[in-house]
Amino acid sequence: MTGLNFGGGSEFAAIRLWTSPPHVLLIVAMSFLVNCRHILMGAALAPYLQHLPARKALPALFFMCNESWAMALADARKRAASRISLAYYLGVSSALYLTWVLFTALGAALGPAIGDVEQYGFDMAFTAVFLVLLRGMWRGARACRPRLVSLVVAALTCLLLPGAWYVAAGASAGLLVAILWEGQP
């Protein structure tokens, strides 16, 4: 799963939802919803990738993750360029991909010996990465309205409904607000 689904959020969601027997449709639906953000991320990269033929752009998008996306856009903005540096993007993406796959394998091998990593606070790493990425994307309070609505709706749903419905509720609310408030001051 790690090599084919380069999306940490959906992998974490799948693991948390895993039961015996697994509820495959629920896991697939939650993975789809969590990874829907890649549609928006890909759309944000599209103007920077227009110069590439599809045979190069599509494989490049396979390796897109939150970090490579944010770093490629930040690099293009820093250089005031109309296109991302494909060499920079692929360098960052391949390093992140290889690190993700290798450390997942290492975690699977050493996991039984380490035990519950939450007792060491390692579960905070995922949240910390997202906070750093969000800080780098800060464009003012108005631009963050969909994220704030998504957060509030997800938190309320988590408190009020059992299961992982907060993922779907938060993602749907954020997308709806982004669509409704598009272009409004």
Side-chain angles (χ1 to χ4, degrees):
M1 183 166 80
T2 294
L4 295 175
N5 177 23
F6 188 38
S10 60
E11 289 186 39
F12 285 113
I15 288 170
R16 290 204 181 266
L17 294 171
W18 198 268
T19 58
S20 184
H23 299 285
V24 176
L25 289 178
L26 176 64
I27 292 170
V28 168
M30 287 302 136
S31 295
F32 175 78
L33 284 171
V34 170
N35 283 337
C36 275
R37 72 188 187 283
H38 288 264
I39 296 168
L40 299 175
M41 291 163 53
L45 277 183
Y48 295 96
L49 295 173
Q50 286 179 345
H51 65 287
L52 291 177
R55 65 182 166 76
K56 289 185 179 181
L58 292 176
L61 289 174
F62 172 80
F63 292 101
M64 181 181 65
C65 64
N66 299 318
E67 295 81 3
S68 63
W69 171 79
M71 292 175 71
L73 284 179
D75 176 63
R77 288 180 183 140
K78 180 179 166 186
R79 294 181 297 106
S82 62
R83 49 177 74 172
I84 64 168
S85 165
L86 191 58
Y88 177 84
Y89 173 78
L90 290 176
V92 167
S93 296
S94 61
L96 289 168
Y97 180 81
L98 289 174
T99 301
W100 181 257
V101 172
L102 289 173
F103 278 92
T104 299
L106 187 63
L110 297 178
I114 296 171
D116 183 12
V117 295
E118 289 183 11
Q119 69 182 340
Y120 305 114
F122 290 139
D123 56 324
M124 181 57 186
F126 191 63
T127 305
V129 167
F130 272 107
L131 290 174
V132 169
L133 289 174
L134 284 175
R135 176 61 188 112
M137 295 186 300
W138 181 256
R139 300 288 179 254
R142 289 178 190 228
C144 289
R145 291 184 295 191
R147 294 180 199 139
L148 179 61
V149 169
S150 182
L151 173 69
V152 170
V153 169
L156 288 173
T157 305
C158 185
L159 291 172
L160 299 173
L161 292 176
W165 290 106
Y166 63 93
V167 176
S172 300
L175 286 171
L176 183 63
V177 166
I179 291 167
L180 292 175
W181 287 345
E182 181 183 3
Q184 292 186 7

